Amino acid sequence: MKSEPDVFSIDDLKKARVTGWEGVRNFQARNYMRDSMKEGELVLFYHSNGDPSGVAGVAKVHGAPIPDPTQFQKKHEYYDATSPKDDPRWMMRQVEFVERFDAVIPLEVLKADPKLSGMPLLQKGQRLSVQTVTPAHFARVLELAKSKTQVVKKGVSPS
DNA sequence: GCCAACGTTGGC
DNA sequence: GCCAACGTTGGC
């Protein structure tokens, strides 16, 4: 699941502990949340438009699908006048904080890893904010998160 | 800020 | 049902 860290970061999730994944207005992403996710499943938390962009931690699916409340809030930027109250168009999941990685695993590192080849996140042009991860890819990302030999991006000073 | 890639909308 | 126009995403 992707979020812009300026808007909602892994640290924000840690503070909140549980949050509703509001604002998804893409049908495929909605379908993944509504139909594919199972309660208790783990989620990679991805920072998009980050510095760097990459996987920042792990969350897990909390509870059943529920209607995204913002679709009915007139003043809200995610308001959708066409969504019927008795049959909400936009369903979301709640996610619970699990883990914050010591460092974001940069997109560049993910792309360079042969074991992650074919991962949907890494496909050119994909923009889905919610997408699938295979168990093997998931395990590999966790491995990278634990690895001390993680490639350090050139030109980034240590802090 | 730029721009490629993509989803959605709406005219026909 | 096609497709141009438009808006958005997100890396860079």
Side-chain angles (χ1 to χ4, degrees):
Chain A
M1 299 177 97
K2 297 185 190 173
S3 179
E4 301 197 21
D6 290 349
V7 178
F8 192 85
S9 69
I10 188 75
D11 290 317
D12 293 324
L13 179 61
K14 186 174 183 177
K15 268 182 257 169
R17 198 182 73 81
V18 176
T19 195
W21 207 259
E22 296 174 344
V24 171
R25 295 293 181 270
N26 171 284
F27 290 106
Q28 197 176 349
R30 177 207 65 186
N31 293 347
Y32 283 146
M33 283 203 289
R34 187 188 60 188
D35 307 330
S36 306
M37 287 181 165
K38 307 284 184 264
E39 183 169 359
E41 261 182 353
L42 295 179
V43 171
L44 295 178
F45 193 110
Y46 181 87
H47 282 177
S48 56
N49 282 314
D51 185 23
S53 293
V55 179
V58 178
K60 90 177 156 189
V61 179
H62 181 92
I66 54 175
D68 180 338
T70 62
Q71 70 195 302
F72 300 125
Q73 294 165 12
K74 276 223 167 85
K75 296 287 165 62
H76 204 283
E77 64 170 314
Y78 298 131
Y79 177 62
D80 183 353
T82 68
S83 177
K85 278 239 167 58
D86 54 355
D87 183 21
R89 168 172 301 165
W90 303 111
M91 302 295 286
M92 67 175 195
R93 299 308 274 257
Q94 293 175 284
V95 299
E96 182 180 341
F97 175 79
V98 173
E99 181 184 4
R100 177 197 190 279
F101 295 158
D102 292 337
V104 169
I105 310 171
L107 182 59
E108 186 185 32
V109 169
L110 302 175
K111 281 182 172 166
D113 192 312
K115 290 186 178 167
L116 293 179
S117 80
M119 188 177 182
L121 175 69
L122 308 179
Q123 302 313 299
K124 180 180 180 182
Q126 70 66 35
R127 304 178 306 166
L128 271 187
S129 59
V130 180
Q131 43 185 278
T132 58
V133 186
T134 67
H137 287 158
F138 197 100
R140 179 58 182 161
V141 171
L142 289 190
E143 239 175 57
L144 290 174
K146 307 306 179 226
S147 161
K148 309 249 169 166
T149 59
Q150 192 183 114
V151 180
V152 175
K153 199 175 171 185
K154 256 191 295 182
V156 174
S157 55
S159 53

